[in-house]
Amino acid sequence: KVLGQLDVAGMKYEILYLECVDEVLIKRYKETRRSHPLSGNDGPVREGIEKERERTAFLRKRADYLVDTSNMLTRELKAELNKIFVRNKEYKNLYISVLSFGFKYGIPAEADLVFDVRFLPNPYYIEEITPQKRPNDKEVRDYVMNNGNASEFMEKLVDMVEFLIPNYIREGKTRLVIGIGCTGGKHRSVTLANELYEALLKNENYGIRIEHRDIGKDAITKAK
């Protein structure tokens, strides 16, 4: 009713709609120890979320900006809002998460696309290159990327992802999680995820973040 009145009055406005997958929303409610206003004090949070989605569906359809916060940190959401309303950047309603992981810890359930880079040589076993085995060291990056297969793979991967993005946007997708996996999620996957992130970062028409899920697992400091 209010939006209709604004339209009749010729008032210009924009609608920002923030959404999130149910599992993350439920987790947030649990962390804040709050009940959903539409589920009552004793009702399940999921029930309240379903009612909220039904009641705000018309707003989602009319939204000028649709931001999925499922994988966003607070500072990342702030950066996206700054891009839209302060810097006036063109916004395509898509937020991309590049996620490195280790297959031995399981494939991320949230991943839309998963790429296996275990075909590349593993720097974990090259003692003279990575004495401390720190995933983000330049020596590790150089060892992985100096392999011809890695460079060719990255070129083809970036080309494919850049082809997919506008098609996903046209289909109304608001969140894209790209998983890059190796055995332990500490070297090859980290390097390739970093490379993909840097390549996609050049386009400001969509939001992007990077996460290394398993980089700190099973950390071992080897005694000299």
Side-chain angles (χ1 to χ4, degrees):
K1 181 179 178 181
V2 171
L3 293 179
Q5 293 172 348
L6 292 175
D7 291 334
V8 171
M11 299 288 290
K12 293 183 178 181
Y13 60 86
E14 293 179 314
I15 298 175
L16 168 68
Y17 190 98
L18 304 182
E19 65 178 358
C20 181
V21 297
D22 287 1
E23 290 71 19
V24 176
L25 278 176
I26 292 171
K27 180 181 178 183
R28 290 175 182 173
Y29 273 102
K30 288 182 178 179
E31 289 174 347
T32 57
R33 298 183 180 180
R34 294 179 179 177
S35 59
H36 194 287
L38 295 182
S39 62
N41 294 327
D42 300 322
V45 170
R46 189 179 296 274
E47 184 178 297
I49 293 173
E50 291 176 358
K51 291 180 180 178
E52 181 182 7
R53 292 195 192 282
E54 292 175 1
R55 296 190 185 187
T56 61
F58 76 99
L59 279 173
R60 191 183 190 281
K61 291 180 180 179
R62 295 188 56 170
D64 299 281
Y65 307 103
L66 186 61
V67 180
D68 191 321
T69 69
S70 302
N71 295 308
M72 283 188 183
L73 300 174
T74 303
R75 66 172 182 272
E76 293 167 338
L77 175 58
K78 181 179 179 181
E80 287 305 294
L81 298 184
N82 180 278
K83 181 191 301 182
I84 297 171
F85 296 110
V86 179
R87 298 165 58 197
N88 294 316
K89 292 287 183 179
E90 184 178 359
Y91 194 75
K92 297 296 186 180
N93 291 337
L94 179 69
Y95 198 80
I96 302 171
S97 293
V98 179
L99 173 66
S100 72
F101 70 94
F103 278 97
K104 72 177 184 177
Y105 302 111
I107 297 175
E110 68 271 28
D112 299 292
L113 302 171
V114 174
F115 298 95
D116 184 350
V117 296
R118 287 176 292 185
F119 66 90
L120 297 172
N122 191 350
Y124 180 85
Y125 300 105
I126 310 301
E127 188 70 19
E128 63 272 20
I129 294 178
T130 59
Q132 300 301 322
K133 298 183 175 64
R134 290 176 295 190
N136 281 308
D137 280 357
K138 181 179 182 299
E139 292 82 359
V140 174
R141 185 267 175 198
D142 290 346
Y143 178 84
V144 174
M145 294 309 299
N146 285 341
N147 180 282
N149 286 334
S151 301
E152 184 177 357
F153 171 78
M154 181 52 55
E155 182 179 340
K156 294 179 183 296
L157 177 60
V158 171
D159 184 58
M160 183 180 69
V161 172
E162 289 181 340
F163 165 78
L164 290 172
I165 287 173
N167 288 283
Y168 281 137
I169 291 173
R170 278 193 290 272
E171 290 300 312
K173 193 172 184 62
T174 60
R175 181 176 66 116
L176 178 65
V177 181
I178 304 173
I180 309 290
C182 63
T183 303
K186 299 175 181 62
H187 298 95
R188 292 166 292 180
S189 62
V190 169
T191 296
L192 272 296
N194 285 337
E195 293 293 312
L196 179 61
Y197 171 77
E198 290 296 331
L200 298 180
L201 194 61
K202 299 172 184 177
N203 191 330
E204 292 192 337
N205 288 338
Y206 45 78
I208 185 166
R209 71 187 296 263
I210 188 166
E211 178 184 352
H212 301 302
R213 189 191 71 176
D214 301 325
I215 198 170
K217 292 181 179 176
D218 293 343
I220 299 175
T221 301
K222 195 170 183 178
K224 293 290 185 178

